[in-house]
Amino acid sequence: MDDTPRGVLVLDFGGQYAQLIARRVRECRVYSELIPYDTPVEEIRAKRPAGLILSGGPRSVNEPDAPVVDPALLSLGIPVLGICYGLQLLAKLRGGTVARTELAEYGGRPLAVTEESLLFTGLPKEMTCWMSHADSVLEVPAGFKVTARSPHLPVAAMECVAEGLYGVQFHPEVKHTEQGQEILKNFLYNVCDLAPTWTPVSIIEDAVERIRAQVGQERVICGLSGGVDSAVAALLTYKAVGDQLTCIFVDHGLMRKGEGQEVEDTFRRHFHVPLVHVQAQERFLSRLVGVVDPEQKRKVIGEEFIRTFEEEAGRLGKVSFLVQGTLYSDVIESGTRQAAKIKSHHNVGGLPEDMEFELVEPLRMLFKDEVRVVGEELGLPENIVWRQPFPGPGLAIRIIGEVTEERLRILREADAILLEEVRRGGWYRRLWQSFAVLPAIRSVGVMGDERTYAYPVVIRAVTSDDAMTADWARLPHDLLERISQRIINEVPGVNRVVLDISSKPPSTIEWE
Ligand code: XMP
């Protein structure tokens, strides 16, 4: 936070809601970052936070190797809010008593505010709050007072105003806590004396300034993919350094209907961003001849993408910087997630590994929904800002078996109809993804007294928060019927439409 806006640091003790706390603080228009609980005090101080929040966590403060903070952190004069484990840690470090009793609580509990407190200013004296704890604070440390309790819990909130130390046993970041957001606002605005100044406009101004400082007079390139992240990253960079930026859009011919044109129209015509639109359809298709294995497809497309990108970048002369749409969720997760490899994701627009560029990552501290808000503020059209995620290898991994021009045409048309109807039905933004899949089978049908032997098209529509898990969407039957009728009637080569009703896990969102 040293050169970032003044805000709040959330110390992560491994609680499932730690990231959510940072998001809620940002929703209060205050900048917030998540950092490991054991970040050295000097490093924390250097970030000049206006407040600290200690998150919840799965451990007990009474375990011998429980995660703790350096007690010096509590004496910096920076206000601290401990949540759940964070509260218990505050109590423990200051000589209070924390114990595992039969007071464990899970779920919505009534909370009674028993004392005046800046945290509860302007709020009702009774409310429902969300609890999830096994340990409880039984005695508050000297100098602290109890400010709220629940029926079985003597200490639901405590504070030591003189030292700026506050703690709550419940979770204000969880929507089930009525007034949770107000409690956070009270901490931020009343206790930390922060103002709600972290707005889309300030985020843009800040990003632009930083990009200018980083790039100077050098040249920059950015790979556009058609998605919102690379689009926003590119526009911020353009705003910062104008024509020093060139965008490269490698059109591999595996995009959805009209997408290539849309990117061209948006960037070149509307925003006047220097854009190289590489029409590489034939090149990619010829490399895909005879390729049926999903991983092989990804590999071929990934390699071809890098080669094409490098060639185009090479034509531009000396370029020192590469813009990437890395998000804060990638930053938080990188290196920590030890998931087994199910699919090797190839991100079109991603970094060729051996290229010598310095990275410009203007979205590094933003969550996806924040990127969308910034995109709207920058004037990006809705169809890009709200575009559903699309895999780098595009339609190739939605065509089971070999990718041919004919099969691409069928899938692209079917997919366009599906999306049109989903939009018209008001479902587009409610779905994480909705698309068509073309399996490598054919079945018998009858059309106008004639026997047909043609492809089925699969409808795949899922809801999800982060693509790690997903549920199949319960689309209304009349919407499904319209999609089915239109695809069968309007797309030659299709005589059947089926619905995928599998969740992830055990299925995945894509078919390959
Ligand atoms: P799965 O199919 O693994 O997909 O449940 C999870 C999310 O990742 C997207 N996806 C990809 N994105 N390159 C990408 O950039 C890929 O190779 C790739 N494969 C899957 C998928 O669309 C979903 O949002």
Side-chain angles (χ1 to χ4, degrees):
M1 224 173 269
D2 29 3
D3 59 346
T4 43
R6 242 185 133 219
V8 166
L9 293 174
V10 178
L11 278 72
D12 181 2
F13 287 91
Q16 54 175 329
Y17 301 130
Q19 209 185 99
L20 191 60
I21 301 172
R23 301 185 61 120
R24 292 279 180 256
V25 171
R26 288 169 173 222
E27 285 168 17
C28 300
R29 300 246 172 270
V30 168
Y31 181 68
S32 175
E33 264 180 48
L34 196 65
I35 57 168
Y37 72 90
D38 55 357
T39 307
V41 174
E42 272 324 301
E43 232 173 86
I44 293 179
R45 204 218 298 259
K47 287 173 172 279
R48 300 185 307 109
L52 301 171
I53 298 182
L54 313 181
S55 85
R59 306 284 299 275
S60 162
V61 292
N62 291 324
E63 289 170 19
D65 58 346
V68 289
V69 291
D70 185 335
L73 196 68
L74 307 184
S75 309
L76 293 176
I78 303 170
V80 177
L81 173 65
I83 295 177
C84 196
Y85 182 89
L87 160 97
Q88 294 159 12
L89 190 59
L90 274 183
K92 174 94 178 173
L93 289 174
R94 284 307 175 94
T97 316
V98 180
R100 185 149 300 190
T101 65
E102 60 285 8
L103 302 177
E105 292 175 300
Y106 301 95
R109 307 289 299 155
L111 180 84
V113 177
T114 52
E115 290 273 344
E116 286 294 311
S117 163
L118 281 180
L119 277 192
F120 302 116
T121 303
L123 303 183
K125 294 279 177 253
E126 310 225 322
M127 47 191 137
T128 302
C129 65
W130 187 261
M131 299 271 192
S132 175
H133 64 105
D135 284 358
S136 308
V137 175
L138 298 184
E139 276 172 62
V140 299
F144 279 71
K145 67 173 181 181
V146 177
T147 54
R149 48 177 301 139
S150 69
H152 303 295
L153 193 65
V155 185
M158 66 171 197
E159 65 189 40
C160 172
V161 176
E163 293 194 79
L165 303 179
Y166 294 75
V168 291
Q169 181 55 70
F170 58 90
H171 289 270
E173 71 278 19
V174 171
K175 288 279 189 224
H176 306 283
T177 297
E178 291 171 7
Q179 316 289 349
Q181 194 70 353
E182 296 308 310
I183 294 168
L184 284 178
K185 279 184 186 166
N186 278 341
F187 176 68
L188 301 171
Y189 307 157
N190 299 339
V191 178
C192 303
D193 207 18
L194 283 158
T197 52
W198 195 69
T199 61
V201 174
S202 78
I203 295 171
I204 292 170
E205 284 169 356
D206 192 59
V208 163
E209 225 169 88
R210 248 171 239 264
I211 296 169
R212 277 196 193 128
Q214 185 186 359
V215 167
Q217 302 301 315
E218 305 290 316
R219 299 200 53 196
V220 194
I221 51 170
C222 175
L224 287 179
S225 69
V228 63
D229 304 339
S230 62
V232 172
L235 276 191
L236 284 172
T237 308
Y238 182 64
K239 208 170 160 64
V241 298
D243 290 356
Q244 283 166 250
L245 169 73
T246 303
C247 287
I248 299 179
F249 171 43
V250 177
D251 191 340
H252 52 22
L254 306 165
M255 308 287 284
R256 284 166 293 201
K257 190 175 178 181
E259 245 170 13
Q261 193 57 42
E262 226 167 63
V263 170
E264 166 108 31
D265 285 348
T266 303
F267 284 87
R268 202 199 303 275
R269 309 236 162 84
H270 184 63
F271 287 104
H272 309 292
V273 176
L275 171 71
V276 181
H277 184 167
V278 193
Q279 307 272 6
Q281 292 86 335
E282 279 169 26
R283 183 170 171 165
F284 279 83
L285 268 187
S286 64
R287 287 286 320 275
L288 285 169
V289 171
V291 180
V292 293
D293 176 70
E295 285 300 290
Q296 189 62 21
K297 273 185 199 168
R298 280 195 172 76
K299 192 160 174 278
V300 165
I301 295 168
E303 279 172 7
E304 200 57 30
F305 177 83
I306 290 174
R307 208 163 295 149
T308 315
F309 190 86
E310 273 175 339
E311 277 173 27
E312 293 304 325
R315 283 191 234 280
L316 297 173
K318 182 167 164 23
V319 175
S320 313
F321 292 91
L322 177 83
V323 180
Q324 278 220 304
T326 317
L327 299 182
Y328 193 40
S329 34
D330 307 328
V331 175
I332 293 175
E333 279 166 26
S334 65
T336 57
R337 199 188 277 171
Q338 296 296 323
K341 179 173 142 186
I342 311 292
K343 297 174 188 181
S344 58
H345 282 200
H346 153 62
N347 280 312
V348 163
L351 174 71
E353 266 168 25
D354 53 355
M355 290 179 92
E356 288 178 0
F357 292 118
E358 190 180 315
L359 290 183
V360 177
E361 297 180 306
L363 314 180
R364 234 183 122 70
M365 297 323 278
L366 300 181
F367 289 107
K368 185 100 173 180
D369 46 348
E370 295 165 345
V371 170
R372 290 204 159 110
V373 175
V374 168
E376 279 176 337
E377 182 67 35
L378 287 167
L380 260 183
E382 193 188 332
N383 53 357
I384 292 188
V385 169
W386 289 99
R387 184 162 288 174
Q388 292 175 352
F390 188 61
L395 300 182
I397 57 165
R398 294 176 180 172
I399 292 176
I400 313 309
E402 191 177 2
V403 179
T404 62
E405 252 177 85
E406 168 67 358
R407 303 189 73 209
L408 256 177
R409 177 196 61 76
I410 293 176
L411 181 63
R412 194 175 273 129
E413 291 303 321
D415 188 68
I417 291 171
L418 184 151
L419 284 177
E420 198 181 311
E421 291 298 336
V422 162
R423 279 204 176 87
R424 193 175 289 163
W427 278 82
Y428 187 78
R429 284 205 204 174
R430 294 162 70 181
L431 301 174
W432 173 263
Q433 280 171 299
S434 47
F435 54 87
V437 177
L438 189 66
I441 51 170
R442 284 187 286 172
S443 75
V444 175
V446 53
M447 265 174 157
D449 295 337
E450 298 241 351
R451 176 186 191 274
T452 58
Y453 188 55
Y455 290 112
V457 160
V458 178
I459 298 176
R460 181 74 165 140
V462 296
T463 53
S464 173
D465 286 328
D466 53 8
M468 298 299 293
T469 60
D471 195 10
W472 60 277
R474 273 51 169 182
L475 296 180
H477 285 175
D478 54 349
L479 173 59
L480 292 170
E481 184 184 0
R482 274 197 304 280
I483 294 171
S484 165
Q485 277 185 348
R486 281 197 58 198
I487 290 178
I488 293 171
N489 282 303
E490 295 174 33
V491 185
V494 178
N495 64 354
R496 195 179 290 273
V497 170
V498 301
L499 178 65
D500 181 346
I501 52 169
S502 335
S503 59
K504 172 184 180 175
S507 301
T508 53
I509 296 176
E510 305 287 348
W511 270 44
E512 286 198 332

